Amino acid sequence: MSEGLISTAVTSALHEALRKAQTDGQLRLEVWPSLVFDIPKRAEWGDLSTTVAMGLAKGEKRSPREIADVIASHLQGDTDLFDHVDVVPPGYINLTLKRDQWFRVLTEIERQGASYGASRVHEDQKILIEFVSANPTGPLHVGHGRGAAVGDALARLLSLTGAEVSREYYVNDVGTQIETLGKSVLMRVQQQDAGDHDQNAALPEGLYQGQYISAIAAAFMESHPSGTRTPGEGDAVEIGRFAKDIIFHDIREDLRMFNINFDEVFEEHTLYDDGVVQGALDALRAKEYVYTADDADWLATSRWGDDKDRVVKRANGQYTYFASDIAYHMHKFNRGFQRLINVWGADHHGYVPRMIAMIHALGYSEDRFQVSLVQLVSLVRSGKPVAMSTRAGEFVTLREVMDEVGVDAARFFFLMRRSDTPLDFDLDLAKRNSNENPVFYVQYAHARIASLFKMAREQGMDCPSVSEVTLTELGLPEELALIKKLAEYPEIISESARSLEPHRVAYYLQELAASLHSYYYKHRILQADAPELTSARLVLMRAVQTVVRNGLAVLGVSAPEAM
RNA sequence: GCGCCUGUAGCUCAGUAGGAUAGAGCAUCGGACUUCUAAUCCGGUUGUCGCAGGUUCGAUUCCUGCCAGGCGCGCCA
């Protein structure tokens, strides 16, 4: 788990201390403990602390205090690393590092630049992240936007931690949906053809209601000039395909504008065209996981904890969506992906157990499949919720939100809460240019530093490299606090990637920005009469800027040079 | 009825692979602009971590039961 420079050094020191205690016969260590550090809540508890002694007490049959003393005595020998080591009841070991150790962080950030935070925790994993996958029957709404932001951030996090990641969009283009879409457009075409221009009249229950249907109808009539005949029922499928192409084109356009690009768009119909569905079901039938009952075909998902078995082929001969999903996920594994991550709306959570059962049926371990559930977004304006009703087609589109608040604010807001909790998206707040707005606050930290460098250049100062400055000039508590914050970043990234929780990065950035603003306000950086101090501070500022930029990049938010 | 998620300060939310006196932003009150961006900063106030048990040296975190809210429970997609 330890990925940062400091924690790597401290972990190996602790490991060494335990090993020595063992060879000296002071500790038995029949089970080797996991070496975990916390950042203490209070400064007087040191830079890092570990509860390892408390965990060992039972196995060693000694008090945590005694064990902590033994470990601490060995750690104290490492005078390069530790300034001092304290043991505090009931058995905490609190570590305070030499200031020089913290300065190494600045060297590391300068050396790694945009790669600072990267690691190899997911090395050799080939991961497929499927997200958005909205049906091409209407424009993307804000909920899709949140899923898009989350999926993309997960992709960035996982590839930053060493995985080979593919972003994929699955298009449901089989079944009744496209036909329903076709019927919806057809009705508007017929209306318009009959000279009825009241496009607000509701369509029958079950059809798509939005304004975009009328627009597509108009486009259809333009490309299929009338005069020959009025389109009828038989044209629904053709019109459906026509509409799907337009809608999907617009979806891709919205996503491009939202700064999200997919490596692959996977169309459901190819699973049927290429016999993948049939092949998957045959294979499962050979293993006796698929059986026939009541004229339908079932997958025995209850074998793996699902409430009941699930139909894959209906009595009327049609396959269910689940059948496509089985084939699709088998196909994902067959393409060489070790790990599959699906980002879904939380309203689909009931579908997860049968998916997990299916993964077992296909012969894979369930830890190779994860679903990240993304909860609803409610828009708030002037303190009041914005009315949204999918039924009446009155949803707010992703495009509208992007147009109103901008891509950066939208992405940051979608990612600043844990994705499995509902999100209140305050449109007024997202547009505000003040510290109340977290996106602004973080971006401003970056811009502020950029502006500082501009000013420095105007005064003939370039930002020096770490090796050229006297780092001991950085003696203020706020400076050390900033460096410690920067040192945390690699762990934030690896934890965020491990737990599939990008919001941790958003929180971290707000904390880092707060430390920066506070420091910047209190202490002047450019001081003509103190060139050594100025140089050291510029180096620190550049490190902060690098980390802010890197963190924003994980969220897909820009880091402006000026605001 | 069954299942999943959620319940932490007035509001919006972090924190929880068990650890020390539970945090942030907003709101509110009071301060700071001869300054590299005051687009900012500093300080004060705020808690039965839904309730009740259990496991543990130690529980907001794990287990059980309840309460409240959301979502889901088709040979729909």
Side-chain angles (χ1 to χ4, degrees):
Chain A
M1 152 177 168
S2 310
E3 288 306 312
L5 187 71
I6 297 291
S7 54
T8 303
V10 174
T11 303
S12 74
L14 179 59
H15 191 276
E16 189 66 10
L18 287 168
R19 206 188 54 75
K20 272 189 217 151
Q22 189 178 36
T23 49
D24 292 358
Q26 294 167 301
L27 293 177
R28 309 163 77 76
L29 297 174
E30 277 151 12
V31 283
W32 198 257
S34 62
L35 311 181
V36 183
F37 294 94
D38 289 322
I39 295 170
K41 283 181 278 196
R42 306 171 75 90
E44 64 261 34
W45 294 337
D47 294 330
L48 290 170
S49 106
T50 177
T51 58
V52 87
M54 276 118 97
L56 286 170
K58 191 168 276 180
E60 299 290 329
K61 298 194 173 65
R62 292 166 71 184
S63 77
R65 179 64 201 258
E66 278 181 273
I67 298 167
D69 282 332
V70 168
I71 297 170
S73 69
H74 288 287
L75 287 171
Q76 258 144 2
D78 196 339
T79 49
D80 284 344
L81 193 53
F82 301 114
D83 187 81
H84 57 277
V85 178
D86 298 317
V87 173
V88 179
Y92 292 98
I93 303 172
N94 292 342
L95 309 164
T96 303
L97 276 71
K98 281 268 165 59
R99 184 163 280 233
D100 289 353
Q101 293 297 323
W102 292 112
F103 291 148
R104 290 173 58 208
V105 172
L106 297 176
T107 312
E108 192 67 8
I109 294 170
E110 179 174 289
R111 190 174 69 76
Q112 295 193 28
S115 305
Y116 181 67
S119 68
R120 290 195 285 266
V121 286
H122 292 111
E123 196 173 29
D124 299 328
Q125 283 194 32
K126 196 175 163 195
I127 303 175
L128 187 153
I129 302 186
E130 183 208 320
F131 61 111
V132 187
S133 297
N135 294 332
T137 54
L140 296 177
H141 54 72
V142 279
H144 294 127
R146 189 177 188 190
V150 169
D152 193 54
L154 291 178
R156 290 167 193 249
L157 278 168
L158 290 165
S159 69
L160 196 57
T161 49
E164 185 186 327
V165 177
S166 186
R167 294 168 172 81
E168 191 152 309
Y169 187 126
Y170 179 61
V171 190
N172 293 122
D173 55 2
V174 174
T176 55
Q177 281 190 114
I178 301 302
E179 204 180 323
T180 305
L181 176 65
K183 280 183 195 159
S184 309
V185 174
L186 175 65
M187 291 212 54
R188 292 298 188 204
V189 167
Q190 288 172 333
Q191 273 183 359
Q192 289 177 21
D193 204 54
D196 177 359
H197 293 290
D198 177 16
Q199 297 289 313
N200 292 322
L203 294 179
E205 186 80 23
L207 296 186
Y208 298 105
Q209 303 287 346
Q211 288 282 329
Y212 66 95
I213 296 290
S214 303
I216 293 168
F220 182 81
M221 291 179 76
E222 202 164 309
S223 59
H224 299 72
S226 59
T228 45
R229 67 187 180 88
T230 300
E233 281 299 312
D235 301 306
V237 172
E238 187 205 333
I239 295 178
R241 283 200 203 101
F242 176 87
K244 183 208 80 176
D245 288 342
I246 291 179
I247 291 171
F248 193 63
H249 178 268
D250 289 348
I251 286 176
R252 292 302 298 276
E253 203 57 37
D254 287 354
L255 289 169
R256 244 192 302 279
M257 186 184 282
F258 202 43
N259 213 356
I260 287 169
N261 290 291
F262 286 90
D263 300 298
E264 185 89 27
V265 171
F266 196 99
E267 295 176 314
E268 184 185 4
H269 74 84
T270 64
L271 294 168
Y272 290 96
D273 298 350
D274 301 342
V276 183
V277 175
Q278 194 57 56
L281 296 182
D282 286 348
L284 291 170
R285 191 183 285 272
K287 291 198 262 188
E288 297 185 357
Y289 296 154
V290 166
Y291 62 91
T292 303
D294 302 329
D295 298 327
D297 292 347
W298 304 70
L299 178 65
T301 53
S302 58
R303 266 178 95 120
W304 296 279
D306 194 11
D307 294 341
K308 48 177 283 200
D309 293 347
R310 304 293 171 175
V311 170
V312 292
K313 189 178 184 182
R314 302 196 291 241
N316 67 9
Q318 286 188 318
Y319 291 103
T320 61
Y321 264 34
F322 188 46
S324 314
D325 283 330
I326 295 167
Y328 181 36
H329 287 80
M330 183 188 79
H331 192 256
K332 286 180 179 177
F333 282 123
N334 287 347
R335 280 187 276 157
F337 292 100
Q338 284 114 39
R339 215 175 134 193
L340 312 180
I341 295 173
N342 290 10
V343 179
W344 283 354
D347 54 339
H348 290 85
H349 71 260
Y351 208 75
V352 174
R354 80 189 67 172
M355 291 295 290
I356 290 172
M358 172 239 284
I359 299 298
H360 282 289
L362 291 172
Y364 298 100
S365 146
E366 71 173 77
D367 60 17
R368 294 177 63 174
F369 174 75
Q370 284 163 293
V371 179
S372 174
L373 295 172
V374 179
Q375 279 283 7
L376 291 178
V377 178
S378 339
L379 295 172
V380 176
R381 192 199 303 280
S382 313
K384 283 180 293 195
V386 177
M388 278 191 281
S389 153
T390 319
R391 189 164 36 87
E394 292 167 2
F395 44 77
V396 177
T397 62
L398 173 61
R399 174 72 69 118
E400 288 171 290
V401 173
M402 284 193 284
D403 287 347
E404 180 166 348
V405 307
V407 171
D408 284 341
R411 287 189 72 133
F412 195 97
F413 271 61
F414 285 141
L415 292 168
M416 72 182 181
R417 301 274 179 254
R418 232 173 62 215
S419 31
D420 63 351
T421 66
L423 170 69
D424 283 326
F425 190 127
D426 187 331
L427 291 162
D428 304 312
L429 179 61
K431 283 185 288 186
R432 210 166 295 159
N433 288 352
S434 76
N435 60 354
E436 297 156 82
N437 180 352
V439 202
F440 178 85
Y441 188 75
V442 174
Q443 287 186 317
Y444 179 47
H446 186 272
R448 216 173 189 185
I449 296 171
S451 155
L452 181 72
F453 287 138
K454 189 169 164 233
M455 184 64 68
R457 272 193 301 278
E458 282 167 16
Q459 296 175 13
M461 278 181 281
D462 273 326
C463 184
S465 77
V466 178
S467 58
E468 296 172 294
V469 305
T470 312
L471 289 170
T472 48
E473 291 282 340
L474 302 173
L476 295 169
E478 290 92 341
E479 287 165 339
L480 190 57
L482 262 176
I483 294 171
K484 288 181 188 176
K485 202 79 204 159
L486 298 174
E488 273 181 55
Y489 182 69
E491 248 106 327
I492 296 289
I493 293 301
S494 52
E495 272 300 284
S496 188
R498 184 192 60 77
S499 58
L500 305 181
E501 292 181 342
H503 73 276
R504 293 171 186 240
V505 179
Y507 271 88
Y508 170 82
L509 285 172
Q510 291 177 74
E511 289 167 10
L512 178 59
S515 301
L516 181 275
H517 286 308
S518 172
Y519 172 68
Y520 185 95
Y521 185 82
K522 279 191 218 161
H523 305 289
R524 196 175 169 79
I525 288 148
L526 304 178
Q527 298 191 34
D529 55 348
E532 295 231 328
L533 179 64
T534 300
S535 295
R537 287 183 172 177
L538 283 173
V539 162
L540 174 60
M541 287 301 101
R542 193 180 45 205
V544 173
Q545 190 184 33
T546 299
V547 175
V548 172
R549 190 190 298 123
N550 291 0
L552 285 172
V554 167
L555 306 181
V557 176
S558 73
E561 293 291 313
M563 296 176 77

